[in-house]
Amino acid sequence: MRALSGLLGARAPTPRLLLLLQCLLATARPGSADDSAPDSPFTSPPVREEMLEKYSNFSLENHNISLTEHSSMPVEKNITLERASNIKLTCQFTTSGDLNAVNVTWKKDDELLENNYLVNATGSTLYTQYRFTIMNSKQMGSYSCFFQEEKEQKGTFNFKVPELHGKNKPLISYVGDSTVLTCKCQNCVPLNWTWYHSNGSVQVPVGVQMNKYVINETYANETKLKIKQLLEEDGGSYWCRALFQLGESEGHIELVVLSYLVPLKPFFAIVAEVVLLVAIILLCEKYTQKNKKHSDDSNGIENNVPRLRKNVSYFRVIFQIKGTIQYT
Amino acid sequence: MAKVNRTRSTSPPDGGWGWMIVAGCFLVTICTRAVTRCISIFFVEFQTYFTQDYAQTAWIHSIVDCVTMLCAPLGSVVSNHLSCQVGIMLGGLLASTGFILGSFATSLKHLYLTLGVLTGLGFALCYSPAIAMVGKYFNRRKALAYGIAMSGSGIGTFILAPVVQLLIEQFSWRGALLILGGFVLNLCVCGALMRPITLKEDHATPEQNYVCRTQKEDLKRVSPYSSLTKEWAQTCLCCCLQQEYRFLLMSDFVVLAISVLFMAYGCSPLFVYLVPYALSVGVSHQQAAFLMSILGVIDIIGNITFGWLTNRRCLKNYHYICYLFAVGMDGFCYLCLPMLQSLPLLVPFSCTFGYFDGAYVTLIPVVTAEIVGTTSLSSALGVVYFLHAVPYLVSPPIAGGTSPQWPANCES
């Protein structure tokens, strides 16, 4: 009874029973090239199909690299992977020489991969395909296909988890103030976020002390760490770690905590300059006004003298005329 | 007594200390208009710190602009009744206080009050009196002097924008607001430069001010710059205001006011919507930003060169026609805009519109001075800038509402 329920239950099938099930399914299905992409020259062997059946709820990723005999630099392709997927890597090699003389190998990092890859030749192009499933972080890395003729041609597929872009410039804040550190992942959704603080070389996880730190995760692809009541020791490097199914990624933010005296120095310098300039300008104005007054007064005295003289001469003329009238 | 009047009242010097007044007004334009435009650089910081969206933070800029223009008549009244120097220094202190208090803000509402209302009020007390002062010191070279003085907003924006960005990176927005408050305190220096001048046409004795109460119909112009104005204002405030705002009844001024209203209504949406329009016809982001930069730089060139041009002998007596030409060219550019659907056509549009917009800004005080004369220039400018306020506030949202293909939210 328990064995039967174990067989029928989908949670924990034993490997042998699973293989039996797959064999039964394989015989029931007609062998065809339906699984392969329309333009692929390969027909899928039964074993491939069964493995795909097992992981059919994973997405399928297709990646191609083209090489020729004249490629001088190794060709690399960077692939960002966030969750477990079925992978199909195809390398094609075009040469004018004999295709049968070309030796094809696949390597993961520097480890040679046995079987599991297919080789096919069409016209003057050699195709090789490697299908596998990535389920954990150990399976991430670089997968390379090698074509050995006189010269070795190499194509590499680099699998990485999505990178977090930290800020290049440090975040400035003040003692007693609060600040918000943000980490965002562009087109990915991590399973988990954690924050670390390092002052020096040791990384310390940021605990959620109620008064000090508040972690806010409104959207799944970003995390915000709010730090209240900043102190000088709170400055330093902050790391936000995003956990994916296939590994971890880190982002870095630099926080600098300044005291209030820092911006006060340029401020007081400017205030001193303003006070000085205003004093100089107003003193200059008073000085010029005084000078003007002096010159006005002195001009006035000088102006009065000729007027007096004019008046005196005017009266002299009047008297003279009166005198002449009296005489006549 | 008559002797004192003869030596004190002069004709506009057209030079000498007048150039210091132009320098002061240039600095005032930098500290008010350019700093207002640079406040938008702080918005990203405010959005992150206060976790608010763009619309909430953009209110700060609207409040500053609106209060500066709406309270422009208040600035004229204060400088008329105290003195230009005291008015501008008071404005500088208020604006600086607004920035300093804003650097200690704990919520966006605090910023609305400090950075918005207080700073806007301070700027209003400085802006129109400084421009009026230039008009008093220049007669023949008025347009050139105004051209140089008004170019401060363009040149100031050009210089201050990267400086403000650097301050934010070094000191965060709080420190940057504090230092910007210190910079705005330089308005007090500008205020100290504004030496009062009594012009021949407005030398008035206290007896004449007394006469105003009984024979107000006979007097055409009364000087509000007399030192006894304070106690006179206390006894006859209403008479004083009637004299000061007499120009409101002049038909020429009414026509100018209506023209300014329509011009401000039409001009302001362009600066808000040029970039979204360019993006909608297929121009890339960098090229759209380049269009705005061209607009800004050509604006400065338009300020100075058009001022110099209208001071040439041939155009000296035709300021009205130059003003009409500038406004007409701006309108013509607008009419052509729907036909311009690619970058090579939008670049000449930016150049032309920017040049004549700068020309318009230079000619506004010149034309106002010609209509109302130098005595009432301060109050008249206050009214003219007040008329700018409401269209600046109202027309961008209306333009956004009536044209469905343009995005209403123009974050770019």
Side-chain angles (χ1 to χ4, degrees):
Chain A
M1 205 54 181
R2 254 186 239 158
L4 199 66
S5 61
L7 176 65
L8 291 171
R11 279 191 201 156
T14 58
R16 266 189 217 165
L17 287 165
L18 193 62
L19 207 53
L20 178 66
L21 192 68
Q22 284 166 0
C23 286
L24 286 169
L25 285 166
T27 48
R29 282 184 56 173
S32 68
D34 286 344
D35 270 355
S36 317
D39 55 350
S40 165
F42 294 101
T43 59
S44 311
V47 177
R48 287 267 137 223
E49 234 180 279
E50 279 140 23
M51 282 192 63
L52 280 173
E53 283 281 345
K54 179 182 177 186
Y55 305 117
S56 58
N57 52 341
F58 295 157
S59 57
L60 179 64
E61 299 255 333
N62 279 319
H63 297 283
N64 296 324
I65 282 185
S66 295
L67 294 166
T68 62
E69 58 184 335
H70 306 295
S71 307
S72 51
M73 304 246 294
V75 177
E76 288 202 20
K77 196 170 179 186
N78 291 324
I79 301 157
T80 310
L81 215 56
E82 170 180 342
R83 59 180 71 87
S85 316
N86 295 314
I87 312 286
K88 186 159 75 173
L89 303 176
T90 312
C91 284
Q92 64 185 44
F93 181 62
T94 314
T95 182
S96 49
D98 184 18
L99 290 176
N100 290 325
V102 180
N103 192 14
V104 178
T105 45
W106 281 87
K107 279 190 190 170
K108 177 191 180 301
D109 299 318
D110 284 320
E111 207 182 280
L112 198 65
L113 296 167
E114 304 293 324
N115 46 15
N116 277 357
Y117 56 87
L118 304 162
V119 182
N120 193 6
T122 315
S124 63
T125 314
L126 197 63
Y127 294 91
T128 178
Q129 193 181 76
Y130 182 57
R131 295 169 95 171
F132 63 105
T133 310
I134 292 188
M135 280 191 301
N136 54 41
S137 55
K138 288 199 208 88
Q139 289 165 330
M140 300 286 278
S142 298
Y143 289 82
S144 314
C145 58
F146 293 88
F147 294 98
Q148 187 76 44
E149 221 183 10
E150 299 101 36
K151 228 177 22 165
E152 189 179 65
Q153 298 291 345
K154 177 182 175 187
T156 310
F157 300 88
N158 294 318
F159 286 93
K160 286 188 196 149
V161 280
E163 271 180 14
L164 299 175
H165 296 284
K167 285 196 188 138
N168 297 330
K169 295 179 188 152
L171 204 64
I172 314 266
S173 196
Y174 292 94
V175 174
D177 199 5
S178 65
T179 186
V180 176
L181 307 173
T182 316
C183 244
K184 222 184 230 184
C185 188
Q186 223 59 19
N187 296 318
C188 48
V189 182
L191 298 169
N192 198 9
W193 289 97
T194 31
W195 282 94
Y196 293 87
H197 170 44
S198 78
N199 207 352
S201 57
V202 180
Q203 277 197 355
V204 173
V206 168
V208 190
Q209 298 158 256
M210 287 310 288
N211 292 337
K212 185 91 175 173
Y213 302 104
V214 176
I215 297 181
N216 191 5
E217 290 176 22
T218 33
Y219 299 107
N221 67 337
E222 71 174 14
T223 179
K224 292 189 178 164
L225 175 69
K226 182 166 184 175
I227 312 176
K228 302 179 194 173
Q229 308 288 331
L230 279 168
L231 302 163
E232 293 242 9
E233 305 90 62
D234 288 325
S237 295
Y238 281 82
W239 306 87
C240 59
R241 226 175 260 180
L243 183 69
F244 297 100
Q245 203 176 19
L246 302 174
E248 276 184 350
S249 189
E250 243 180 22
H252 174 236
I253 300 176
E254 180 87 26
L255 179 68
V256 176
V257 180
L258 302 171
S259 80
Y260 266 110
L261 294 175
V262 174
L264 274 180
K265 286 181 206 154
F267 174 72
F268 283 135
I270 298 175
V271 170
E273 166 252 324
V274 165
V275 170
L276 192 69
L277 282 177
V278 169
I280 291 174
I281 292 169
L282 290 177
L283 283 172
C284 275
E285 187 181 336
K286 274 219 167 99
Y287 183 68
T288 38
Q289 272 183 358
K290 263 190 199 163
N291 275 352
K292 245 187 182 176
K293 254 191 198 163
H294 279 304
S295 62
D296 282 351
D297 289 340
S298 57
N299 275 343
I301 294 168
E302 282 164 18
N303 279 340
N304 275 338
V305 171
R307 202 180 296 134
L308 268 175
R309 283 213 192 113
K310 255 196 221 168
N311 290 343
V312 167
S313 59
Y314 171 70
F315 283 123
R316 207 183 280 163
V317 165
I318 295 292
F319 281 132
Q320 278 177 349
I321 294 173
K322 257 193 173 172
T324 47
I325 293 171
Q326 277 177 347
Y327 272 125
T328 51
Chain B
M1 187 91 86
K3 174 184 63 181
V4 168
N5 278 343
R6 206 184 305 152
T7 47
R8 269 208 196 148
S9 62
T10 52
S11 56
D14 269 312
W17 190 253
W19 294 118
M20 295 299 286
I21 301 283
V22 169
C25 189
F26 180 79
L27 200 54
V28 166
T29 340
I30 291 182
C31 290
T32 51
R33 307 307 299 146
V35 167
T36 308
R37 288 183 200 175
C38 288
I39 287 180
S40 11
I41 300 177
F42 284 93
F43 288 167
V44 179
E45 306 293 316
F46 292 155
Q47 280 171 58
T48 333
Y49 188 84
F50 296 112
T51 52
Q52 298 277 5
D53 59 352
Y54 179 78
Q56 299 290 320
T57 45
W59 267 106
I60 299 174
H61 182 263
S62 308
I63 292 176
V64 174
D65 236 347
C66 175
V67 173
T68 307
M69 295 299 184
L70 279 179
C71 297
L74 179 69
S76 318
V77 165
V78 168
S79 69
N80 286 344
H81 290 274
L82 295 174
S83 96
C84 203
Q85 284 176 317
V86 171
I88 297 181
M89 286 168 102
L90 197 65
L93 283 173
L94 265 179
S96 180
T97 314
F99 271 101
I100 295 170
L101 289 177
S103 77
F104 294 107
T106 50
S107 82
L108 218 51
K109 306 273 187 304
H110 292 180
L111 282 176
Y112 292 156
L113 280 174
T114 53
L115 206 56
V117 176
L118 207 57
T119 306
L121 197 60
F123 287 165
L125 288 177
C126 300
Y127 193 53
S128 43
I131 298 176
M133 208 50 168
V134 174
K136 283 187 182 284
Y137 271 81
F138 285 88
N139 191 16
R140 289 177 295 114
R141 292 197 213 162
K142 198 176 279 189
L144 178 64
Y146 272 125
I148 299 174
M150 306 302 268
S151 63
S153 65
I155 295 176
T157 316
F158 200 69
I159 298 175
L160 270 184
V163 168
V164 167
Q165 187 64 40
L166 192 69
L167 283 176
I168 294 176
E169 279 169 24
Q170 292 289 316
F171 298 106
S172 128
W173 63 268
R174 288 188 192 272
L177 276 181
L178 191 67
I179 295 176
L180 216 55
F183 174 73
V184 162
L185 207 56
N186 281 300
L187 283 168
C188 294
V189 176
C190 308
L193 283 172
M194 304 283 166
R195 276 190 206 166
I197 182 171
T198 343
L199 296 175
K200 240 189 266 182
E201 56 194 8
D202 48 45
H203 71 268
T205 59
E207 288 86 80
Q208 274 186 321
N209 291 338
Y210 194 81
V211 161
C212 138
R213 242 202 309 183
T214 50
Q215 295 176 5
K216 47 189 171 186
E217 297 90 50
D218 296 339
L219 283 173
K220 226 186 169 187
R221 288 182 197 137
V222 166
S223 162
Y225 270 76
S226 161
S227 58
L228 295 167
T229 308
K230 237 188 223 169
E231 50 180 61
W232 174 60
Q234 281 163 8
T235 54
C236 184
L237 183 66
C238 148
C239 164
C240 166
L241 280 176
Q242 272 185 357
Q243 285 303 319
E244 265 181 53
Y245 289 96
R246 231 181 134 72
F247 57 84
L248 286 174
L249 300 172
M250 293 166 66
S251 56
D252 286 346
F253 186 78
V254 172
V255 171
L256 175 72
I258 294 173
S259 118
V260 157
L261 205 63
F262 280 112
M263 181 69 180
Y265 184 81
C267 259
S268 44
L270 189 89
F271 291 95
V272 178
Y273 286 117
L274 180 64
V275 172
Y277 175 74
L279 292 174
S280 75
V281 295
V283 172
S284 76
H285 278 272
Q286 277 113 341
Q287 288 165 335
F290 176 62
L291 278 176
M292 281 302 283
S293 311
I294 293 179
L295 203 64
V297 171
I298 304 282
D299 204 290
I300 301 171
I301 296 176
N303 273 332
I304 301 178
T305 55
F306 211 78
W308 177 84
L309 265 175
T310 47
N311 263 131
R312 296 297 96 208
R313 229 172 283 157
C314 43
L315 291 173
K316 211 182 286 188
N317 297 322
Y318 302 107
H319 286 148
Y320 291 118
I321 298 185
C322 295
Y323 173 75
L324 284 174
F325 180 67
V327 173
M329 284 304 291
D330 268 343
F332 178 70
C333 289
Y334 254 123
L335 281 176
C336 295
L337 187 59
M339 299 186 280
L340 306 173
Q341 304 266 345
S342 67
L343 184 69
L345 292 173
L346 281 174
V347 170
F349 165 81
S350 276
C351 292
T352 326
F353 187 87
Y355 186 81
F356 287 107
D357 189 70
Y360 159 78
V361 167
T362 301
L363 282 179
I364 277 279
V366 175
V367 170
T368 314
E370 288 202 354
I371 291 177
V372 302
T374 42
T375 0
S376 315
L377 179 61
S378 184
S379 322
L381 278 176
V383 173
V384 165
Y385 289 125
F386 171 80
L387 291 171
H388 272 102
V390 176
Y392 275 172
L393 258 191
V394 156
S395 81
I398 290 181
T402 52
S403 36
Q405 72 266 27
W406 284 359
N409 185 11
C410 41
E411 302 181 42
S412 47

